[in-house]
Amino acid sequence: MKYALLVTLCLRGLLNAAGFSSSSIAFPQRTSLNSMNGGSYRKLVATGLLDVDPVQSGGFYKLESLASGDVKASLLDRIKSLYSDSEKIAGGKDDAVLGEIETLVSFLGSQGKGYDGDLVDGDWSLLYSRNGKKSPAIQKIIGKSEKVKKTFSNFNVKAFEFENVGYTRRSNGVLKATVEFKPVGAGFDKAASGDIVIRRISCDIVGASFKYRSLPTLPLPIRAKGGYLDFVYLDDDMRITRGNRGGLFIHVKPEFLEEMGV
């Protein structure tokens, strides 16, 4: 019964990540990541892709301050501040920091770097997650136990599949959910330049399994259709997506974690 409950909890977390349902981690200072080189909030607005409420974000002075630096490095710095010594996936309860993270994510989103099959292909490790208002209550419980290097979402673009992988707390069990995806026209953005930015991929869960220690892999009869993920931002080492239930997920390449000393 104990392991059945564990499988259920982990599985709910993977489904939601697919669109359904003062720190011991050392982040080095990065000075060349997406530097704005003197850019400003007004410059971001001019792209036609920025979606930020100035009042909720702390006013125009705060927006100008956040936009004037290295946005990606600033985002990583905020995430760092939310990590605990147990290396749990950053979620945090500091409203001020969470607000800055949302603003910085929007800034990156204004760069128009949506879905790209070449960039998204390969393995991705979950660095940060925040549940949306519509996220299931069980996912909010799952998020409290997720740990860095133990939660992945790996893309095989050639097969139009990605695999969500979650390890149990002691890494002696692994749950996998295979998701078929397809880029779709819905949810696209149009920049002020007229460029179209593809954001959305449809997501259908086509299989799942659980393996505990040396026991045989147990197939799970889980199927689900109709989910989606929106690509807010994507580059060589960072992927930011939102699920159709409002969850925010920030993944990075495993080698990027090593570079950060995680």
Side-chain angles (χ1 to χ4, degrees):
M1 289 295 293
K2 177 175 66 176
Y3 296 121
L5 177 59
L6 177 62
V7 171
T8 301
L9 291 176
C10 292
L11 184 59
R12 295 286 181 85
L14 293 183
L15 295 184
N16 189 66
F20 292 92
S21 36
S22 28
S23 169
S24 63
I25 301 177
F27 288 71
Q29 294 295 319
R30 297 174 63 88
T31 59
S32 61
L33 293 176
N34 295 338
S35 177
M36 290 294 181
N37 296 321
S40 68
Y41 171 66
R42 291 185 298 275
K43 182 178 178 181
L44 300 179
V45 172
T47 66
L49 296 174
L50 184 62
D51 182 17
V52 168
D53 184 324
V55 176
Q56 292 184 357
S57 300
F60 287 106
Y61 179 82
K62 183 62 172 292
L63 291 174
E64 288 283 357
S65 176
L66 289 174
S68 64
D70 185 330
V71 173
K72 184 175 173 181
S74 295
L75 176 61
L76 290 172
D77 185 60
R78 269 63 174 187
I79 292 174
K80 170 191 172 181
S81 72
L82 298 177
Y83 267 93
S84 67
D85 291 339
S86 61
E87 297 187 358
K88 290 182 180 179
I89 296 297
K93 296 181 180 180
D94 188 322
D95 289 341
V97 174
L98 294 178
E100 290 184 349
I101 286 175
E102 289 288 342
T103 299
L104 292 166
V105 165
S106 295
F107 284 176
L108 289 175
S110 72
Q111 296 186 17
K113 298 181 179 181
Y115 173 82
D116 183 314
D118 292 332
L119 288 179
V120 78
D121 198 37
D123 295 348
W124 295 88
S125 182
L126 184 63
L127 182 67
Y128 171 90
S129 67
R130 188 179 185 189
N131 294 300
K133 293 181 179 180
K134 296 182 179 180
S135 296
I138 194 69
Q139 171 57 22
K140 297 175 182 179
I141 297 175
I142 293 292
K144 295 178 180 179
S145 62
E146 290 175 325
K147 290 189 176 182
V148 68
K149 290 188 177 181
K150 292 187 179 182
T151 309
F152 302 87
S153 182
N154 305 325
F155 274 72
N156 181 349
V157 172
K158 186 176 181 180
F160 285 97
E161 291 182 348
F162 66 88
E163 188 172 61
N164 284 336
V165 181
Y167 288 88
T168 56
R169 188 170 299 181
R170 297 181 180 179
S171 297
N172 50 16
V174 58
L175 183 70
K176 298 181 179 181
T178 302
V179 183
E180 290 184 349
F181 76 91
K182 180 173 65 175
V184 296
F188 73 91
D189 275 337
K190 186 175 181 180
S193 63
D195 293 338
I196 300 298
V197 182
I198 299 299
R199 298 287 192 189
R200 185 165 297 177
I201 60 172
S202 63
C203 300
D204 296 331
I205 295 178
V206 296
S209 65
F210 179 73
K211 181 174 177 58
Y212 182 72
R213 292 186 174 177
S214 60
L215 296 177
T217 300
L218 175 66
L220 301 174
I222 302 299
R223 303 291 185 273
K225 293 185 176 182
Y228 65 77
L229 284 176
D230 283 338
F231 280 67
V232 177
Y233 176 82
L234 177 65
D235 66 15
D236 290 332
D237 48 34
M238 176 179 282
R239 184 183 95 219
I240 305 176
T241 56
R242 289 191 189 275
N244 60 288
R245 293 194 175 188
L248 175 65
F249 307 96
I250 300 179
H251 291 80
V252 296
K253 289 289 190 179
E255 56 268 26
F256 189 61
L257 285 179
E258 296 299 330
E259 182 181 339
M260 293 188 297
V262 177

